[in-house]
Amino acid sequence: MFVVGLTGGIGSGKSTVADLFAAHGVPLVDTDLIAHRITAPHGIAMPQIAAEFGDSFVAADGSLDRARMRTLVFSDEGARKRLEGITHPLIRAETEREQREAQGPYVIVVVPLLVESGNWKTRVNRVLTVDCSVETQIARVMSRNGFSREQVLAIIARQATREARLAAADDIIDNDNAPLDALKAQVDAQHRVYLAQAAA
Ligand code: ADP
């Protein structure tokens, strides 16, 4: 299966763009959803997390105590690495399973941290970056999440830079000041390119 890795910073418009591809019948694999599912009640990462960090990180319903874990990994880089050592291989395996089972001309894997984490680039045929300016990201996330400017800036500071994401891209969707019909036109054109590449 021909695989497109879709990435972009917070608020760049990844979900919006992914939905426009899905409207063409392109199956989506969402690594954020997978990450959430494996740490949901009795998710497949939970036995290892309990063994590594202790039962105090498991909520009453069997899910990850996200608030507690967030506090820990925020201040403890080693703990973050240990957590990722558990979750990343499971996310990778689940992603590959969903890719294999996907039905369609090609598949889009939405990977918010494609540029930041590991060897994603080697596991997709094309990297598609959704691009916009930092100011646009800030405005969108403030309005979508009700965050302050400082909160959004703190999240952006932990992500790859706009330049790094553009450098990693094979293809780019420009979603800065793009009215929705212009965005859709870009997705339609890119979809036709991917159909041809997947068939070749
Ligand atoms: P991401 O998944 O990258 O965080 P989203 O697709 O959720 O980004 O977009 C962030 C917010 O900005 C959402 O509320 C979305 O509706 C809005 N948005 C995205 N693209 C546009 C656009 N071209 N014009 C207007 N609003 C947009």
Side-chain angles (χ1 to χ4, degrees):
M1 179 76 100
F2 189 84
V3 181
V4 176
L6 174 67
T7 194
I10 185 167
S12 59
K14 290 179 297 296
S15 312
T16 306
V17 167
D19 288 346
L20 289 170
F21 278 100
H24 285 288
V26 179
L28 303 178
V29 176
D30 185 327
T31 57
D32 266 357
L33 276 184
I34 291 173
H36 203 269
R37 195 172 67 223
I38 66 173
T39 53
H42 310 293
I44 57 173
M46 293 315 298
Q48 279 174 268
I49 289 176
E52 179 74 31
F53 294 93
D55 288 338
S56 63
F57 285 88
V58 183
D61 65 358
S63 68
L64 175 66
D65 186 335
R66 290 175 207 286
R68 196 180 169 100
M69 185 57 85
R70 209 176 299 120
T71 305
L72 175 69
V73 301
F74 195 75
S75 59
D76 183 342
E77 192 53 31
R80 177 189 297 278
K81 288 261 154 34
R82 284 190 289 134
L83 177 66
E84 291 177 352
I86 296 170
T87 56
H88 283 184
L90 293 173
I91 293 169
R92 189 153 56 235
E94 282 295 285
T95 301
E96 282 168 6
R97 188 178 60 77
E98 288 193 13
Q99 276 173 206
R100 275 196 307 276
E101 290 173 359
Q103 303 285 325
Y106 63 94
V107 61
I108 289 190
V109 186
V110 184
V111 192
L113 300 181
L114 185 145
V115 176
E116 291 85 342
S117 51
N119 56 356
W120 270 105
K121 206 168 155 52
T122 65
R123 308 212 314 270
V124 298
N125 296 94
R126 302 291 289 182
V127 172
L128 176 61
T129 293
V130 183
D131 178 63
C132 71
S133 70
V134 171
E135 276 311 317
T136 300
Q137 283 181 279
I138 294 170
R140 286 190 189 143
V141 180
M142 284 177 69
S143 116
R144 183 189 63 188
N145 299 57
F147 290 173
S148 70
R149 184 182 178 86
E150 288 65 35
Q151 281 174 308
V152 185
L153 279 171
I155 296 169
I156 289 174
R158 292 200 298 274
Q159 299 189 336
T161 61
R162 180 181 188 186
E163 289 69 30
R165 269 192 300 267
L166 287 172
D170 297 305
D171 308 300
I172 295 164
I173 299 272
D174 173 10
N175 190 27
D176 202 47
N177 296 316
L180 224 49
D181 54 343
L183 186 63
K184 186 173 177 305
Q186 287 185 72
V187 169
D188 293 354
Q190 194 63 59
H191 173 61
R192 285 193 292 275
V193 171
Y194 288 148
L195 280 180
Q197 289 175 344

